[in-house]
Amino acid sequence: MPYKHNADRRHHVGKMKFRVTNWRDYEAGLRRRGSLSLWVTPEALAGWRAPRRKTRGGQARYSDLAIETALTLGCVFAMRLRQTEGLLHSLLDLMRLKVPVPDHTTLSRRAQKWEPSARRNPPLPDGPLHVLVDSTGLKVYGAGQWLEQKHATRSRRNWRKLHLAVDAKSGAIIAQRLTDQDTDDPSQVAPLLD
């Protein structure tokens, strides 16, 4: 039979293991996955424009907060800078906010020097901390992944382990280490706590 050729190597989709009994809630949950909620605090609106510089040179029009907001939206939705400008413009129009939107050339220029606020080290509180240490596996994809799928060959999977130390109270990541797949978790506790 021609449709059974290479059937053992084809990807098969299994049957559902559960039955939906409450379709109304199920469909409402699917609709909620596509909803977008965006909150802009009064403090963010007050800090949208850049403060005046007292040094020589041109005045920045947008604060770092405005640039970070635009670039974060662009990263989340995988958009180019012109598309990000349009998205931010339409969101601010829908919320009836009268703040200027950074154009794509400003975003491009400021993105070269931009460092996300997540990378900045938050100040650690004084006193003892309750620290949670855990790790997760990250699969490394290489250039030959599609060849493996196409020819149904198996190669050794490459993994990396991301070890995290998290403050239990605030949820902030205090330290992180990326190791190979052979490194065990207990050996990374001391370096993370240092």
Side-chain angles (χ1 to χ4, degrees), residues 38 40 48 62-89 91-92 100-108 110-111 114:
L38 185 68
V40 179
W48 192 262
Y62 306 101
S63 68
D64 290 338
L65 174 69
I67 300 299
E68 184 170 4
T69 302
L71 292 175
T72 302
L73 281 172
C75 287
V76 166
F77 294 110
M79 294 181 161
R80 304 281 187 207
L81 295 178
R82 290 177 204 262
Q83 295 167 339
T84 302
E85 177 187 354
L87 173 69
L88 189 58
H89 196 309
L91 285 174
L92 293 174
V101 177
D103 60 305
H104 61 277
T105 55
T106 302
L107 290 175
S108 174
R110 299 269 301 267
W114 175 57

